[in-house]
Amino acid sequence: MMGSIPVTLLITITALLLRHQPVVGDMFSASADLANTFRLEQQVVNVLGELVAQTEAKLGIIRQYLKDYESVVEEKAASEEEFMERVAGNPIHAYRLMKRLYFDWQTVEKEIKTDNWRNALRRLEQVRMGAKFPKEEDFFGAAQALVRLQDTYELNMTQLARGNLWGRQTRAELTAQDCLFMGKHAFNAGAYARAVEWFEESYILAGQENNRTLRQDQVMEFIQHAINMHDDTLQQTKKRHPMAVLSHTNSFRLPLKEKPAGVQRSEIIRSRKYNVGKHITDQDDATNFNALCRGETLLNDKLLAQLKCWYDSRRQPYFLLMPIKIEQNSMEPAIYTFHDVLSDDEIETIKELAKPLLARSMVQGKTGVGHEVSNVRTSKTAWLPEGLHPLLNRLTRRISLITGLKTNPIRDEAELLQVANYGIGGHYAPHHDYLMKGKADFELNDVERGGSTAFPRAGVAVKPVRGGAAFWFNLKRSGKPDPFTLHGACPVLLGHKWVSNKWIRETAQTFNRRCTLDANE
């Protein structure tokens, strides 16, 4: 399908409370699944809460029996024989003895024989039979998402562990054990620099917790091992490749035995420089992508001053009373945001249509053949056939009027509408869409923190705005790929992200987007 229009249209949908819907695949990569999983936990907690209440009531009866007995023992006596004579000779003690072993004991014996655990276990099994519990891949996926978020947004680990997500304070916190696990995850991925930082945070928390979740001496062993691995790897890399530019996630510039991790991280952040233009490296792509995700501005003031916003009716009667609101995000490549393309009702309809069809997103196989699940893209997607709902045909027509391109998937002018839902740290690493000429991304919700679409070579990021649509051409007019359309979805830091994509094919646009005599245009 070479020559299909990588025109990209992103439409954003706002995240609301979701009804239970079956979703295919893992549980951490889509917020729809996460909402259902929290509901599942609510059922589990309800059963456990009832079990605790029943157990506490049982223990209360037993404690009361013991308390009544202890009131007898309070009688002071020089010897056991004197004690027995005093108790046995007291008519009140005699009465209460009979009461305890006849009347009270019946209640105690009944409570002991009642098996609340078996009933609770049966109810928990019923809950599990009707729902999907997280598996190991979900646990590791959630951990990987946290490590990715900290790395991308340069989150202060101390603040992150205390629930501060990029300036938004929440009640969620990490324990020393949690941070240790994050460090292990980073270490196993070869990110030794980040591993040391996570382990050091775990050490601090262990002290503050008074070694409740784990001991500081245990954490120190991990810190020393990670430092040794970092320094050995750094030394070996410099010997083999003296001019190599190392990832700041995997390695610091100097051995940690010479300069601590915290000092080196601060120096890296202060000295960071960005390169936007034709002479850009893969390392620049990664650095720029993360910077754009953090909301940093990479374009100079002169370029920013040339960007405009305007209303446009496209000379279409359809838009005379309500012209298109256009925001120019970039001049080269040309990237635009069309605002208020979808209404709230249309957004909710698209989400409801997509929920039962969501499955784990895939990428092209490493050999270029087939598709596979990959950590470079963590989300779930659904493809919506045109005949599924009347709205889809109307939306296809609307996209055509806005873009001036043919977009009917039945006539092979475009792909079906794709809906994507991003979960914990959901992202899509920078990539090209050369197989498609144009792309329109419809944003179906506002994302509280993160979730932008970043173009590291163009030096711009488009923030998700509910009902808006980002649009760009992936191919030049000549049909050649435009390398500056490299783009990726920034990790969702807080909130949810729903987005709908419409890829438009080039071969159907012969008379709608004519080529020029310049092969580079």
Side-chain angles (χ1 to χ4, degrees):
M1 237 193 250
M2 185 67 186
S4 268
I5 295 190
V7 177
T8 301
L9 190 56
L10 281 170
I11 307 182
T12 308
I13 312 171
T14 305
L16 301 174
L17 292 178
L18 310 173
R19 299 188 187 93
H20 175 77
Q21 295 284 355
V23 184
V24 181
D26 55 54
M27 306 179 72
F28 71 92
S29 60
S31 61
D33 259 354
L34 292 172
N36 292 332
T37 305
F38 274 113
R39 291 191 182 90
L40 169 63
E41 187 177 37
Q42 286 178 343
Q43 297 180 51
V44 172
V45 167
N46 288 339
V47 175
L48 295 178
E50 291 179 17
L51 176 61
V52 169
Q54 293 167 356
T55 304
E56 287 179 342
K58 187 192 301 287
L59 291 174
I61 291 172
I62 296 174
R63 288 193 183 102
Q64 185 60 49
Y65 185 95
L66 297 175
K67 184 178 180 181
D68 289 346
Y69 173 77
E70 288 170 359
S71 66
V72 179
V73 180
E74 290 177 357
E75 290 281 355
K76 303 295 182 181
S79 64
E80 183 176 355
E81 183 177 353
E82 181 184 346
F83 169 73
M84 291 301 178
E85 287 181 0
R86 182 178 299 179
V87 172
N90 188 315
I92 296 178
H93 281 319
Y95 162 76
R96 293 194 61 81
L97 172 64
M98 296 301 107
K99 178 179 178 293
R100 284 196 302 275
L101 289 180
Y102 169 71
F103 186 79
D104 294 347
W105 177 250
Q106 293 182 53
T107 304
V108 172
E109 188 176 36
K110 178 183 176 182
E111 291 298 329
I112 293 175
K113 289 181 177 179
T114 302
D115 190 350
N116 300 114
W117 297 94
R118 188 180 299 277
N119 179 54
L121 180 59
R122 183 177 66 255
R123 293 180 59 191
L124 289 173
E125 288 175 347
Q126 291 174 347
V127 171
R128 293 199 63 170
M129 287 177 62
K132 180 182 176 184
F133 262 59
K135 299 179 181 178
E136 184 181 52
E137 63 180 294
D138 298 300
F139 177 52
F140 282 101
Q144 185 178 46
L146 263 180
V147 172
R148 181 190 308 121
L149 289 170
Q150 192 280 327
D151 189 55
T152 301
Y153 294 102
E154 287 288 1
L155 302 176
N156 179 288
M157 282 193 180
T158 300
Q159 294 181 1
L160 175 61
R162 286 152 184 75
N164 189 305
L165 299 174
W166 211 15
R168 170 69 184 277
Q169 187 61 49
T170 70
R171 292 178 178 272
E173 295 187 353
L174 297 174
T175 65
Q177 188 180 57
D178 293 328
C179 291
L180 183 75
F181 185 80
M182 300 302 161
K184 287 182 179 180
H185 190 88
F187 184 91
N188 292 336
Y192 303 125
R194 288 299 186 193
V196 171
E197 293 173 294
W198 278 108
F199 289 148
E200 289 180 344
E201 186 62 33
S202 175
Y203 181 86
I204 295 172
L205 286 175
Q208 294 176 350
E209 297 171 356
N210 294 320
N211 300 321
R212 176 174 56 86
T213 58
L214 77 165
R215 302 192 314 273
Q216 284 186 309
D217 60 317
Q218 292 175 308
V219 183
M220 185 54 70
E221 294 180 10
F222 285 96
I223 293 175
Q224 292 300 328
H225 183 54
I227 288 176
N228 292 336
M229 183 64 74
H230 171 275
D231 290 358
D232 291 345
T233 303
L234 177 62
Q235 184 181 24
Q236 294 172 12
T237 301
K238 286 187 174 181
K239 282 183 177 179
R240 293 195 302 267
H241 309 286
M243 303 302 292
V245 179
L246 302 176
S247 165
H248 297 156
T249 299
N250 297 345
S251 177
F252 290 111
R253 296 165 181 167
L254 297 174
L256 289 169
K257 293 174 183 176
E258 293 182 17
K259 186 176 287 189
V263 176
Q264 293 204 55
R265 180 63 64 190
S266 297
E267 291 177 349
I268 289 172
I269 293 174
R270 287 198 302 270
S271 63
R272 187 176 286 137
K273 295 180 180 179
Y274 305 113
N275 178 24
V276 178
K278 295 182 179 180
H279 306 291
I280 193 168
T281 66
D282 291 342
Q283 184 64 40
D284 290 328
D285 286 337
T287 301
N288 290 357
F289 177 76
N290 288 349
L292 291 167
C293 289
R294 293 191 295 268
E296 297 182 32
T297 301
L298 303 191
L299 297 182
N300 58 45
D301 293 340
K302 182 178 180 180
L303 288 175
L304 290 174
Q306 298 177 34
L307 302 178
K308 302 176 182 178
C309 295
W310 68 93
Y311 290 96
D312 196 331
S313 65
R314 291 288 200 257
R315 297 182 179 178
Q316 294 285 347
Y318 185 90
F319 297 119
L320 283 179
L321 296 179
M322 189 178 290
I324 309 166
K325 302 172 184 176
I326 303 177
E327 176 184 354
Q328 189 177 29
N329 304 110
S330 169
M331 299 187 68
E332 186 180 351
I335 304 171
Y336 304 98
T337 296
F338 306 127
H339 291 274
D340 299 326
V341 174
L342 291 176
S343 68
D344 289 347
D345 288 343
E346 289 174 330
I347 286 171
E348 293 309 310
T349 298
I350 291 174
K351 288 167 63 177
E352 291 302 319
L353 291 173
K355 287 175 190 176
L357 304 175
L358 289 172
R360 178 63 191 267
S361 302
M362 306 183 81
V363 298
Q364 190 176 48
K366 295 178 181 178
T367 61
V369 179
H371 294 82
E372 61 186 14
V373 172
S374 172
N375 287 330
V376 305
R377 186 185 190 188
T378 52
S379 63
K380 286 188 176 179
T381 54
W383 296 89
L384 306 185
E386 288 284 295
L388 187 61
H389 192 279
L391 169 62
L392 300 177
N393 186 264
R394 295 199 303 271
L395 184 55
T396 293
R397 173 63 177 159
R398 193 179 307 165
I399 295 171
S400 179
L401 292 173
I402 292 174
T403 62
L405 302 171
K406 295 180 178 181
T407 59
N408 193 328
I410 298 176
R411 293 197 290 266
D412 212 29
E413 297 168 352
E415 298 291 322
L416 297 175
L417 190 70
Q418 183 199 69
V419 179
N421 180 212
Y422 292 81
I424 307 172
H427 78 131
Y428 195 171
H431 60 285
H432 289 102
D433 286 330
Y434 288 153
L435 291 180
M436 308 294 168
K437 176 182 178 182
K439 184 181 179 186
D441 285 357
F442 295 83
E443 301 296 341
L444 306 180
N445 70 290
D446 300 313
V447 181
E448 191 167 352
R449 295 285 192 280
S452 296
T453 300
F455 297 77
R457 295 182 182 177
V460 299
V462 181
K463 294 182 179 180
V465 179
R466 180 181 172 90
F471 176 82
W472 67 90
F473 288 97
N474 295 295
L475 302 182
K476 299 180 179 180
R477 288 181 176 273
S478 62
K480 290 184 177 181
D482 186 346
F484 281 85
T485 60
L486 181 77
H487 63 283
C490 297
V492 176
L493 177 57
L494 185 62
H496 312 280
K497 181 178 179 180
W498 286 83
V499 63
S500 180
N501 304 305
K502 188 72 170 181
W503 283 281
I504 307 167
R505 294 180 176 174
E506 179 188 28
T507 51
Q509 315 305 324
T510 303
F511 300 105
N512 298 77
R513 189 177 187 243
R514 299 173 183 272
C515 60
T516 66
L517 297 178
D518 188 346
N520 293 318
E521 290 186 356

